[in-house]
Amino acid sequence: MKQQRSKSNFLLPLIVILGFLLVWYLVCFFKMVPAYQLPSPGDAARSIKEEILAGRLANDIIASLWRVTIGFVLSAGLGIPFGLWLGQHARSRQALTPILNFFRFLSPLAWIPFAILWFHIGDKPAIFLIFMAAFFPMVISIMTAVASIPSIYFRVARDYNYKGTELLTKVTFPAVLPQIITAMRVSYGIAWVVIVAAEMVGCQDGLGYGIWDARNGLRLDTAISYMVVIGLLGLAMDRLLSQLTKLPNIRWGYDR
Amino acid sequence: MTDNKLKSRLAFNNISHSYGELPVLQNLSFTVNPGEFVALVGPSGCGKTTLLNILSGYLKPTSGTLEHQGVIRTVYQSDGLFPWLTVSENISMGLRPVTNTEEHGKQLRELFELIHLQGFENHYPHELSGGMRQRVEIARALAGDSDILLMDEPFSALDYQTRLRMRWELVRLLAQRKRTVVFVTHDIEEAAQLADRVFVLSKRPAVISREFVINSAKPRNLTDPAVIAAMKAILSQLGLQAWDGDTRTIFDDNISPDTKPGKGEMS
């Protein structure tokens, strides 16, 4: 029974993907859309092969992963402690929530002129844009999670003499760990989405840059092949992060 | 290790509490003797939980003083265990003052034996049944140097039969590890079966409207005449007994609290 289900879990998405490819193929085959507007799956596949053989794809993947990882690590490294702190201090939370929300709603695209002005070219402007996109949602979700920890945990902690740092590391932090992992998945998703925009500025490589370069050269087949790679890598990274939810001391946050 | 537990002391001196304009407790005074099992029953919303919060030190009363000696721990209705810790780690919280690893391990094993949960050391609370979770909570509260247990409707989230079994379990555990217990419940049966003394609280603002002493030996059967007599008395005090010759009926919702607590004795 269980095996059957896991089989269909795998099978159903595959059917949907194949169906999607088929529709795409048929649209191109019957020329419902002119070829210069929508390359066919075959064109995209050939283009991927070309990029792989030229070594550009591997290089671009590494460049993009590097930028996203740095931007993400920075926003998590600063956002998680900041969110934990804000969650415990109602006054500061009250004071800072509006401005944090304000920045959360600013599209990273809006920061592009400043990114160039402040960080010139190279990895830095892209990392800055990713950071600006991922940091604020991270802080807000962790802050909210901490503020809504059931008070019973703190009462129990009081009974058993947890105070200060110990209270933070042994009660507050584990109590919100499931939400921290969810926040990290969401933020990583945002960071990865932003990569295309972030690499529009001052970069000479990367998956996002690849799309812009292809557009400028009117190579839509290459653009599509890069899109496919971006989507697949995003999916893979999320699967990797979701493995964290299987840890035994975190599982409770999802099984209840 | 049982004898030194009886130095505990717990006394309410003229305690009143209100939330803003709303008075919840009014001039409550009582003393819980060392090793005694006191049950507090009363209508819902009468301030039982407020009372426990004051007892545990979580809440400061508006006026009056709380005297206590000894380590106080609370057993909650549910979800008092830390879900990110295993059963063994949760119980170890109660053994935090025991720093000697060997002694710690020994006491932990004893506690597992006591609650008959050997083999569940590395399970997480969400993998246990409600009754098992409450046993773990009680073990954690009994562990180490605790003196006074506050129990906030600890069995009310369980199904009826599990609840009955948990009462036996609690009596058995307390026979082995003597503690002073303050037990808050809305379950009259539970109070009559477990307590040495029962305080019946009035509606808000709560005062002790009646105090019953139940002298019958424990464990008591639910059908023990003393338990039944106590239940009758408590029920009629709460106005929920229609056939005891009392003029008050179950339909009479308007019982005025006796300001002078009376004392009934059953044995």
Side-chain angles (χ1 to χ4, degrees):
Chain A
M1 182 73 190
K2 203 167 181 186
Q3 200 143 33
Q4 228 171 20
R5 244 187 80 190
S6 71
K7 211 173 178 180
S8 73
N9 278 352
F10 174 72
L11 213 63
L12 283 174
L14 194 72
I15 291 171
V16 171
I17 289 167
L18 289 176
F20 178 79
L21 286 174
L22 185 71
V23 170
W24 179 12
Y25 176 79
L26 290 176
V27 165
C28 295
F29 184 80
F30 291 109
K31 301 212 163 27
M32 282 185 245
V33 178
Y36 70 89
Q37 280 186 12
L38 183 67
S40 71
D43 293 340
R46 266 188 295 281
S47 161
I48 289 189
K49 195 178 152 198
E50 195 182 305
E51 295 295 322
I52 292 172
L53 289 178
R56 276 194 298 269
L57 191 64
N59 184 44
D60 285 339
I61 287 174
I62 291 168
S64 289
L65 277 178
W66 165 252
R67 286 171 198 137
V68 169
T69 305
I70 297 292
F72 173 72
V73 166
L74 276 177
S75 59
L78 293 170
I80 292 172
F82 191 40
L84 284 172
W85 183 79
L86 278 178
Q88 290 172 306
H89 295 86
R91 295 278 293 175
S92 322
R93 190 162 66 239
Q94 211 179 0
L96 291 176
T97 303
I99 199 157
L100 288 171
N101 265 317
F102 172 84
F103 280 112
R104 183 163 72 100
F105 287 118
L106 280 183
S107 161
L109 299 174
W111 288 103
I112 287 178
F114 298 96
I116 298 171
L117 207 60
W118 295 342
F119 297 99
H120 314 294
I121 53 163
D123 291 341
K124 279 187 232 154
I127 291 171
F128 169 73
L129 291 174
I130 289 165
F131 176 82
M132 291 309 276
F135 176 75
F136 297 100
M138 179 91 96
V139 171
I140 286 174
S141 53
I142 288 168
M143 171 186 95
T144 315
V146 172
S148 53
I149 296 176
S151 69
I152 190 167
Y153 296 154
F154 295 112
R155 291 175 183 220
V156 171
R158 196 176 174 282
D159 267 8
Y160 295 91
N161 285 318
Y162 288 92
K163 285 182 194 125
T165 325
E166 216 181 9
L167 186 68
L168 183 70
T169 55
K170 299 220 167 129
V171 182
T172 312
F173 186 70
V176 290
L177 205 49
Q179 283 106 313
I180 289 182
I181 287 165
T182 306
M184 277 167 60
R185 283 175 73 181
V186 171
S187 286
Y188 195 86
I190 295 172
W192 193 240
V193 163
V194 166
I195 191 73
V196 176
E199 287 174 347
M200 279 164 65
V201 284
C203 289
Q204 292 301 316
D205 53 5
L207 294 168
Y209 170 79
I211 289 181
W212 285 104
D213 194 43
R215 190 206 74 127
N216 290 336
L218 291 176
R219 287 290 305 272
L220 288 196
D221 53 340
T222 313
I224 286 197
S225 64
Y226 271 88
M227 286 164 74
V228 170
V229 171
I230 289 175
L232 287 177
L233 278 177
L235 216 68
M237 288 306 290
D238 190 61
R239 285 302 278 275
L240 215 64
L241 279 174
S242 79
Q243 293 304 308
L244 288 174
T245 64
K246 300 209 169 105
L247 293 174
N249 55 345
I250 288 166
R251 195 66 240 155
W252 62 273
Y254 305 92
D255 271 358
R256 285 207 296 195
Chain B
M1 84 176 276
T2 45
D3 296 328
N4 61 346
K5 294 301 165 201
L6 303 177
K7 280 185 238 141
S8 63
R9 193 185 135 72
L10 197 58
F12 254 43
N13 297 329
N14 271 318
I15 284 191
S16 299
H17 192 77
S18 35
Y19 294 111
E21 290 289 288
L22 184 77
V24 183
L25 304 177
Q26 205 178 324
N27 275 327
L28 280 181
S29 291
F30 63 84
T31 308
V32 182
N33 302 316
E36 193 180 27
F37 193 124
V38 166
L40 297 164
V41 297
S44 60
C46 76
K48 292 186 295 252
T49 303
T50 304
L51 211 158
L52 265 192
N53 283 341
I54 291 172
L55 280 171
S56 68
Y58 190 77
L59 199 67
K60 268 222 152 353
T62 320
S63 69
T65 53
L66 169 75
E67 276 176 60
H68 71 89
Q69 241 171 55
V71 173
I72 301 181
R73 287 183 188 155
T74 309
V75 176
Y76 295 92
Q77 187 175 330
S78 61
D79 297 326
L81 296 174
F82 285 167
W84 55 89
L85 297 180
T86 61
V87 169
S88 154
E89 288 164 335
N90 263 294
I91 296 180
S92 291
M93 286 170 64
L95 293 171
R96 273 157 57 86
V98 184
T99 43
N100 181 328
T101 326
E102 214 171 287
E103 180 60 26
H104 185 110
K106 184 174 151 272
Q107 291 197 26
L108 193 59
R109 267 195 307 282
E110 278 172 13
L111 285 161
F112 269 100
E113 271 167 41
L114 195 66
I115 57 168
H116 300 314
L117 276 182
Q118 299 102 312
F120 288 93
E121 286 85 349
N122 296 321
H123 281 60
Y124 284 86
H126 73 271
E127 298 167 323
L128 304 182
S129 71
M132 284 157 97
R133 279 205 288 271
Q134 289 314 91
R135 265 143 74 195
V136 175
E137 270 217 43
I138 293 170
R140 181 175 72 179
L142 286 173
D145 59 354
S146 70
D147 305 288
I148 300 167
L149 298 192
L150 303 180
M151 307 189 87
D152 187 2
E153 306 198 7
F155 308 144
S156 65
L158 306 174
D159 65 85
Y160 187 66
Q161 288 181 31
T162 311
R163 219 181 298 166
L164 292 184
R165 230 168 272 132
M166 286 301 294
R167 290 181 202 157
W168 288 109
E169 195 71 8
L170 181 63
V171 170
R172 185 177 66 80
L173 294 175
L174 288 172
Q176 293 189 39
R177 304 208 173 195
K178 195 83 182 149
R179 296 288 190 277
T180 304
V181 180
V182 178
F183 192 102
V184 164
T185 181
H186 60 254
D187 189 332
I188 288 138
E189 222 181 82
E190 201 164 72
Q193 213 178 349
L194 294 174
D196 302 319
R197 259 194 308 165
V198 180
F199 293 141
V200 181
L201 297 173
S202 69
K203 280 186 156 184
R204 217 176 36 227
V207 297
I208 294 172
S209 66
R210 200 73 192 269
E211 176 189 332
F212 297 103
V213 177
I214 309 171
N215 284 326
S216 169
K218 283 184 268 187
R220 299 174 191 143
N221 274 317
L222 202 48
T223 47
D224 185 324
V227 173
I228 291 173
M231 275 168 62
K232 269 189 181 164
I234 299 166
L235 283 169
S236 89
Q237 181 61 34
L238 289 166
L240 296 166
Q241 182 87 320
W243 53 86
D244 60 356
D246 201 306
T247 46
R248 291 177 292 209
T249 70
I250 46 170
F251 305 110
D252 184 2
D253 206 21
N254 204 5
I255 310 159
S256 60
D258 302 338
T259 31
K260 284 173 284 177
K263 200 162 185 174
E265 190 139 347
M266 270 143 299
S267 51

